[in-house]
Each structure stands twice: as C-alpha cells, then as structure tokens.
Amino acid sequence: MMHFTCDRCGKLIGQGDRHHVVRIEVTAAFDPNELSEEDLDADHLKEVGDLIKAIEADPNVAAAEVPKTRSLRRDLCGDCVETFVQHPVGHETGIEKKAFYSPN
Ligand SMILES: [Zn+2]
C-alpha cells in the first residue's frame, strides 16, 4: 500500500483522508516586448528546418535550444491545500503582496 505524506506540513495522509496533488510547470515566459520587426519578418520555416538538421546532426543541440521547463509534483493534505490555493506563491514570505496577476 502506498503512503503519502503532505509536502507542506509533513502529516501522513491516510486512506480516506483528503489528498490533493499539485502539479506545477515552470518555464521561461515569452516577452512580447522583445519582438521586433525582424522577428516578424524572419523565415520561421527555414529556421525550424535548420534546427531539425542541427538536431539530427547533434542531438545535444536540442537541449541547448529548448527553454528549460521544470515540472514539480507535491502532495498536500486537506488542510494545507486550502492554504496553498489562497497563497500559491507563498504567504509566509510575503511574496504574494508583490505579486501581479495579469488579466489573461
Ligand atoms: Zn498538510
């Protein structure tokens, strides 16, 4: 039988207890302000073709070209999930006071 422990408070999450899984994917954000006329005029099909050829020649190129994405999984008990939902970026640190949520 699998045992789960809350990754926030450390409490054992027993069978029948509320158990929540939080999956977070962190990746570099796209900044539309960095787009230029040159970017819009670029031949993207040619760039993709060149990248495919470079990856075929050296698979390590793919790791260098693709932005790093990190995936996290955390198990939370019923008490801690409520705190997480209310303060997903960290109440204890005060970070949420500075957070800006874009309208989209
Ligand atoms: Zn907990």
Side-chain angles (χ1 to χ4, degrees):
M1 181 175 179
M2 293 186 70
H3 292 86
F4 293 96
T5 302
C6 177
D7 289 318
R8 185 171 181 273
C9 71
K11 182 174 94 179
L12 182 67
I13 302 171
Q15 194 170 15
D17 290 342
R18 289 176 55 206
H19 176 195
H20 300 266
V21 175
V22 177
R23 291 189 173 90
I24 301 171
E25 184 173 293
V26 181
T27 189
F30 165 70
D31 185 355
N33 293 327
E34 292 181 2
L35 275 178
S36 67
E37 287 297 323
E38 286 181 14
D39 295 323
L40 298 176
D41 291 339
D43 184 350
H44 299 290
L45 284 178
K46 180 182 180 316
E47 289 179 6
V48 170
D50 291 345
L51 182 57
I52 290 172
K53 286 178 190 171
I55 292 171
E56 287 173 347
D58 179 3
N60 292 327
V61 168
E65 293 292 329
V66 177
K68 299 237 182 312
T69 299
R70 291 177 286 172
S71 297
L72 310 168
R73 176 204 155 117
R74 296 295 181 260
D75 295 283
L76 297 178
C77 71
D79 293 333
C80 289
V81 75
E82 301 304 329
T83 302
F84 175 80
V85 169
Q86 291 174 17
H87 306 284
V89 291
H91 175 72
E92 292 82 3
T93 62
I95 291 173
E96 88 287 352
K97 294 176 184 171
K98 300 174 189 171
F100 170 77
Y101 298 100
S102 64
N104 54 7

